[in-house]
PDB file of all heavy atoms in Angstrom:
ATOM      1  N   SER A 185      -5.248  31.102 -11.168  1.00  0.00           N
ATOM      2  CA  SER A 185      -5.430  30.595  -9.806  1.00  0.00           C
ATOM      3  C   SER A 185      -5.496  31.733  -8.793  1.00  0.00           C
ATOM      4  O   SER A 185      -6.298  31.695  -7.846  1.00  0.00           O
ATOM      5  CB  SER A 185      -4.296  29.622  -9.453  1.00  0.00           C
ATOM      6  OG  SER A 185      -3.029  30.231  -9.638  1.00  0.00           O
ATOM      7  N   ASP A 186      -4.694  32.769  -8.982  1.00  0.00           N
ATOM      8  CA  ASP A 186      -4.705  33.890  -8.045  1.00  0.00           C
ATOM      9  C   ASP A 186      -6.038  34.632  -8.098  1.00  0.00           C
ATOM     10  O   ASP A 186      -6.605  34.998  -7.065  1.00  0.00           O
ATOM     11  CB  ASP A 186      -3.559  34.853  -8.357  1.00  0.00           C
ATOM     12  CG  ASP A 186      -3.482  35.988  -7.350  1.00  0.00           C
ATOM     13  OD1 ASP A 186      -3.214  35.708  -6.165  1.00  0.00           O
ATOM     14  OD2 ASP A 186      -3.721  37.141  -7.743  1.00  0.00           O
ATOM     15  N   SER A 187      -6.567  34.851  -9.308  1.00  0.00           N
ATOM     16  CA  SER A 187      -7.828  35.579  -9.426  1.00  0.00           C
ATOM     17  C   SER A 187      -8.987  34.775  -8.856  1.00  0.00           C
ATOM     18  O   SER A 187      -9.924  35.336  -8.280  1.00  0.00           O
ATOM     19  CB  SER A 187      -8.107  35.933 -10.890  1.00  0.00           C
ATOM     20  OG  SER A 187      -8.400  34.779 -11.659  1.00  0.00           O
ATOM     21  N   VAL A 188      -8.947  33.458  -8.981  1.00  0.00           N
ATOM     22  CA  VAL A 188     -10.030  32.623  -8.466  1.00  0.00           C
ATOM     23  C   VAL A 188     -10.017  32.620  -6.942  1.00  0.00           C
ATOM     24  O   VAL A 188     -11.066  32.800  -6.305  1.00  0.00           O
ATOM     25  CB  VAL A 188      -9.933  31.191  -9.021  1.00  0.00           C
ATOM     26  CG1 VAL A 188     -10.892  30.252  -8.288  1.00  0.00           C
ATOM     27  CG2 VAL A 188     -10.236  31.184 -10.515  1.00  0.00           C
ATOM     28  N   ILE A 189      -8.849  32.440  -6.350  1.00  0.00           N
ATOM     29  CA  ILE A 189      -8.798  32.389  -4.888  1.00  0.00           C
ATOM     30  C   ILE A 189      -9.162  33.753  -4.294  1.00  0.00           C
ATOM     31  O   ILE A 189      -9.868  33.855  -3.285  1.00  0.00           O
ATOM     32  CB  ILE A 189      -7.406  31.906  -4.409  1.00  0.00           C
ATOM     33  CG1 ILE A 189      -7.496  31.352  -2.981  1.00  0.00           C
ATOM     34  CG2 ILE A 189      -6.354  32.982  -4.493  1.00  0.00           C
ATOM     35  CD1 ILE A 189      -6.229  30.626  -2.533  1.00  0.00           C
ATOM     36  N   THR A 190      -8.730  34.836  -4.950  1.00  0.00           N
ATOM     37  CA  THR A 190      -9.073  36.177  -4.477  1.00  0.00           C
ATOM     38  C   THR A 190     -10.570  36.446  -4.645  1.00  0.00           C
ATOM     39  O   THR A 190     -11.232  36.962  -3.743  1.00  0.00           O
ATOM     40  CB  THR A 190      -8.259  37.234  -5.242  1.00  0.00           C
ATOM     41  OG1 THR A 190      -6.864  37.008  -5.004  1.00  0.00           O
ATOM     42  CG2 THR A 190      -8.615  38.643  -4.776  1.00  0.00           C
ATOM     43  N   GLY A 191     -11.110  36.079  -5.796  1.00  0.00           N
ATOM     44  CA  GLY A 191     -12.522  36.300  -6.057  1.00  0.00           C
ATOM     45  C   GLY A 191     -13.422  35.517  -5.126  1.00  0.00           C
ATOM     46  O   GLY A 191     -14.447  36.028  -4.659  1.00  0.00           O
ATOM     47  N   MET A 192     -13.057  34.268  -4.836  1.00  0.00           N
ATOM     48  CA  MET A 192     -13.876  33.461  -3.941  1.00  0.00           C
ATOM     49  C   MET A 192     -13.919  34.065  -2.538  1.00  0.00           C
ATOM     50  O   MET A 192     -14.948  34.003  -1.859  1.00  0.00           O
ATOM     51  CB  MET A 192     -13.352  32.021  -3.894  1.00  0.00           C
ATOM     52  CG  MET A 192     -13.577  31.250  -5.182  1.00  0.00           C
ATOM     53  SD  MET A 192     -12.833  29.592  -5.194  1.00  0.00           S
ATOM     54  CE  MET A 192     -13.961  28.685  -4.120  1.00  0.00           C
ATOM     55  N   PHE A 193     -12.805  34.679  -2.122  1.00  0.00           N
ATOM     56  CA  PHE A 193     -12.798  35.322  -0.810  1.00  0.00           C
ATOM     57  C   PHE A 193     -13.599  36.624  -0.833  1.00  0.00           C
ATOM     58  O   PHE A 193     -14.478  36.844   0.009  1.00  0.00           O
ATOM     59  CB  PHE A 193     -11.368  35.607  -0.359  1.00  0.00           C
ATOM     60  CG  PHE A 193     -11.298  36.429   0.899  1.00  0.00           C
ATOM     61  CD1 PHE A 193     -11.582  35.867   2.134  1.00  0.00           C
ATOM     62  CD2 PHE A 193     -10.980  37.785   0.843  1.00  0.00           C
ATOM     63  CE1 PHE A 193     -11.555  36.630   3.291  1.00  0.00           C
ATOM     64  CE2 PHE A 193     -10.942  38.553   1.997  1.00  0.00           C
ATOM     65  CZ  PHE A 193     -11.229  37.972   3.225  1.00  0.00           C
ATOM     66  N   GLU A 194     -13.312  37.485  -1.805  1.00  0.00           N
ATOM     67  CA  GLU A 194     -13.920  38.815  -1.818  1.00  0.00           C
ATOM     68  C   GLU A 194     -15.413  38.763  -2.140  1.00  0.00           C
ATOM     69  O   GLU A 194     -16.196  39.561  -1.600  1.00  0.00           O
ATOM     70  CB  GLU A 194     -13.198  39.699  -2.825  1.00  0.00           C
ATOM     71  CG  GLU A 194     -11.760  40.023  -2.418  1.00  0.00           C
ATOM     72  CD  GLU A 194     -11.038  40.886  -3.430  1.00  0.00           C
ATOM     73  OE1 GLU A 194     -11.512  40.970  -4.596  1.00  0.00           O
ATOM     74  OE2 GLU A 194      -9.997  41.461  -3.074  1.00  0.00           O
ATOM     75  N   GLU A 195     -15.831  37.840  -2.999  1.00  0.00           N
ATOM     76  CA  GLU A 195     -17.221  37.794  -3.444  1.00  0.00           C
ATOM     77  C   GLU A 195     -18.097  36.846  -2.631  1.00  0.00           C
ATOM     78  O   GLU A 195     -19.313  37.044  -2.537  1.00  0.00           O
ATOM     79  CB  GLU A 195     -17.266  37.394  -4.918  1.00  0.00           C
ATOM     80  CG  GLU A 195     -16.574  38.395  -5.834  1.00  0.00           C
ATOM     81  CD  GLU A 195     -16.341  37.836  -7.224  1.00  0.00           C
ATOM     82  OE1 GLU A 195     -17.022  36.838  -7.587  1.00  0.00           O
ATOM     83  OE2 GLU A 195     -15.475  38.381  -7.946  1.00  0.00           O
ATOM     84  N   GLU A 196     -17.486  35.806  -2.036  1.00  0.00           N
ATOM     85  CA  GLU A 196     -18.286  34.787  -1.349  1.00  0.00           C
ATOM     86  C   GLU A 196     -17.878  34.570   0.103  1.00  0.00           C
ATOM     87  O   GLU A 196     -18.513  33.772   0.802  1.00  0.00           O
ATOM     88  CB  GLU A 196     -18.186  33.465  -2.110  1.00  0.00           C
ATOM     89  CG  GLU A 196     -18.632  33.560  -3.566  1.00  0.00           C
ATOM     90  CD  GLU A 196     -18.322  32.288  -4.332  1.00  0.00           C
ATOM     91  OE1 GLU A 196     -19.003  31.276  -4.079  1.00  0.00           O
ATOM     92  OE2 GLU A 196     -17.389  32.296  -5.163  1.00  0.00           O
ATOM     93  N   GLY A 197     -16.809  35.224   0.529  1.00  0.00           N
ATOM     94  CA  GLY A 197     -16.372  35.083   1.911  1.00  0.00           C
ATOM     95  C   GLY A 197     -15.687  33.774   2.227  1.00  0.00           C
ATOM     96  O   GLY A 197     -15.528  33.407   3.402  1.00  0.00           O
ATOM     97  N   ILE A 198     -15.251  33.054   1.204  1.00  0.00           N
ATOM     98  CA  ILE A 198     -14.558  31.777   1.426  1.00  0.00           C
ATOM     99  C   ILE A 198     -13.130  32.077   1.870  1.00  0.00           C
ATOM    100  O   ILE A 198     -12.386  32.768   1.177  1.00  0.00           O
ATOM    101  CB  ILE A 198     -14.585  30.918   0.151  1.00  0.00           C
ATOM    102  CG1 ILE A 198     -16.035  30.576  -0.198  1.00  0.00           C
ATOM    103  CG2 ILE A 198     -13.747  29.658   0.321  1.00  0.00           C
ATOM    104  CD1 ILE A 198     -16.225  29.997  -1.578  1.00  0.00           C
ATOM    105  N   ASP A 199     -12.755  31.555   3.040  1.00  0.00           N
ATOM    106  CA  ASP A 199     -11.452  31.888   3.605  1.00  0.00           C
ATOM    107  C   ASP A 199     -10.575  30.679   3.897  1.00  0.00           C
ATOM    108  O   ASP A 199      -9.482  30.804   4.452  1.00  0.00           O
ATOM    109  CB  ASP A 199     -11.627  32.707   4.895  1.00  0.00           C
ATOM    110  CG  ASP A 199     -12.425  31.975   5.965  1.00  0.00           C
ATOM    111  OD1 ASP A 199     -12.783  30.796   5.750  1.00  0.00           O
ATOM    112  OD2 ASP A 199     -12.693  32.589   7.016  1.00  0.00           O
ATOM    113  N   THR A 200     -11.038  29.487   3.510  1.00  0.00           N
ATOM    114  CA  THR A 200     -10.279  28.258   3.739  1.00  0.00           C
ATOM    115  C   THR A 200     -10.395  27.380   2.498  1.00  0.00           C
ATOM    116  O   THR A 200     -11.509  27.046   2.084  1.00  0.00           O
ATOM    117  CB  THR A 200     -10.810  27.508   4.971  1.00  0.00           C
ATOM    118  OG1 THR A 200     -10.820  28.398   6.095  1.00  0.00           O
ATOM    119  CG2 THR A 200      -9.930  26.308   5.299  1.00  0.00           C
ATOM    120  N   PHE A 201      -9.262  27.020   1.907  1.00  0.00           N
ATOM    121  CA  PHE A 201      -9.260  26.405   0.583  1.00  0.00           C
ATOM    122  C   PHE A 201      -8.532  25.067   0.565  1.00  0.00           C
ATOM    123  O   PHE A 201      -7.460  24.918   1.151  1.00  0.00           O
ATOM    124  CB  PHE A 201      -8.568  27.323  -0.434  1.00  0.00           C
ATOM    125  CG  PHE A 201      -9.299  28.599  -0.699  1.00  0.00           C
ATOM    126  CD1 PHE A 201      -9.107  29.708   0.111  1.00  0.00           C
ATOM    127  CD2 PHE A 201     -10.192  28.702  -1.753  1.00  0.00           C
ATOM    128  CE1 PHE A 201      -9.774  30.895  -0.122  1.00  0.00           C
ATOM    129  CE2 PHE A 201     -10.870  29.886  -2.000  1.00  0.00           C
ATOM    130  CZ  PHE A 201     -10.667  30.985  -1.184  1.00  0.00           C
TER     131      PHE A 201
END
Side-chain angles (χ1 to χ4, degrees):
S185 55
D186 184 65
S187 69
V188 169
I189 201 169
T190 299
M192 290 175 75
F193 172 75
E194 293 179 343
E195 298 166 19
E196 303 171 72
I198 297 167
D199 59 4
T200 306
F201 294 86

